[in-house]
Amino acid sequence: QVLLKQWGAGLLKPSETLSLTCAVSGGSFSVYYWTWIRQTPGKGLEWIGEITQSGNTNKNPALKRRVTISMDTSNKQFSLQLSSVTVADTGLYYCARGGASDQWGQGTLVTVSS
Amino acid sequence: EIVLTQSPGTLSLSPGERATLSCRASQPLSSSYIAWYQQEPGQAPRLLVYGSSSRATGIPDRFSGSGSGTDFTLTISRLEPEDFVVYYCQQFGYSPYTFGQGTKLEIK
């Protein structure tokens, strides 16, 4: 059974960098795209971006300048960094598998507050 | 960016009834790139249907998807008590992938 387990800091101050990692277990890593999605009170579900099997990334233009997505194939992990966070970045962040996301992490609540 | 508009915002029905949830896209989409999710309180979304009409693994056959062009539908043939949660559509054909704002299914 595929399991996505994510972790990272949950409380940030404005201008800091959000950093989350997602580890994949119980299934193949190298044949899928891996995705980051967030859920905020203001915008609902918002696709942040994805990383392909070859390490290419596709990001939401609204966040593109601040987003870095990377992966560590040997450890079956992928990561999200979002720089210069503001209060508007407060929300639940999820890692997931694929464009039609059939496996999700448990979610990380990120709060940005001074 | 493709905007997905779901209707109604809230749907009030009784267990055993049939539910029809709508998702309209701001421009035509291939049905191959439409997905529907169910989200229970405090949980991550769960994939129900993808490619407009294919059920994800383990999803009961009372859930079905259809549609083409700009209009897509999720149908729940006979509502069970656990179905009264929130549903989202998503398009993953054009970047940035986008979600609808959700339909809440509530018990009448």
Side-chain angles (χ1 to χ4, degrees):
Chain A
Q1 180 178 346
V2 178
L3 189 65
L4 277 63
K5 180 172 178 144
Q6 58 182 102
W7 65 90
L11 181 60
L12 298 170
K13 295 186 185 326
S15 80
E16 292 185 332
T17 295
L18 178 160
S19 184
L20 299 174
T21 298
C22 185
V24 180
S25 61
S28 178
F29 184 80
S30 59
V31 300
Y32 292 99
Y33 285 25
W34 300 98
T35 300
W36 289 98
I37 293 164
R38 70 180 183 180
Q39 190 165 26
T40 63
K43 292 194 172 185
L45 286 166
E46 184 178 23
W47 179 79
I48 298 171
E50 65 186 0
I51 187 163
T52 72
Q53 303 96 324
S54 58
N56 293 322
T57 57
N58 181 19
K59 304 172 196 174
N60 191 325
L63 302 168
K64 186 173 185 174
R65 288 191 308 165
R66 300 194 289 133
V67 166
T68 302
I69 300 174
S70 59
M71 69 180 183
D72 177 356
T73 304
S74 60
N75 286 309
K76 298 173 71 173
Q77 296 178 359
F78 61 107
S79 298
L80 169 70
Q81 289 191 311
L82 179 67
S83 64
S84 305
V85 297
T86 70
V87 170
D89 294 313
T90 293
L92 260 173
Y93 286 71
Y94 293 102
C95 59
R97 185 175 79 174
S101 300
D102 62 344
Q103 300 292 336
W104 293 65
Q106 79 277 18
T108 300
L109 179 61
V110 174
T111 302
V112 180
S113 174
S114 56
Chain B
E1 170 176 315
I2 294 177
V3 176
L4 299 180
T5 302
Q6 292 187 242
S7 60
T10 302
L11 184 57
S12 298
L13 293 169
S14 300
E17 289 192 299
R18 180 185 186 92
T20 303
L21 286 65
S22 174
C23 178
R24 177 163 288 176
S26 59
Q27 64 187 69
L29 293 170
S30 167
S31 60
S32 299
Y33 300 108
I34 288 288
W36 289 90
Y37 298 86
Q38 176 191 67
Q39 188 174 32
E40 299 178 25
Q43 301 294 315
R46 175 172 70 144
L47 179 66
L48 297 175
V49 170
Y50 62 95
S52 179
S53 60
S54 298
R55 274 188 299 278
T57 302
I59 301 304
D61 61 7
R62 66 178 184 273
F63 292 93
S64 63
S66 62
S68 63
T70 59
D71 293 309
F72 301 92
T73 300
L74 176 71
T75 301
I76 311 171
S77 59
R78 288 181 315 279
L79 287 165
E80 299 285 344
E82 62 268 26
D83 298 336
F84 290 88
V85 290
V86 181
Y87 295 84
Y88 296 94
C89 60
Q90 179 206 23
Q91 69 80 20
F92 55 102
Y94 294 93
S95 181
Y97 307 156
T98 50
F99 292 85
Q101 82 281 13
T103 290
K104 181 180 179 181
L105 196 47
E106 67 174 24
I107 297 178
K108 189 173 182 179

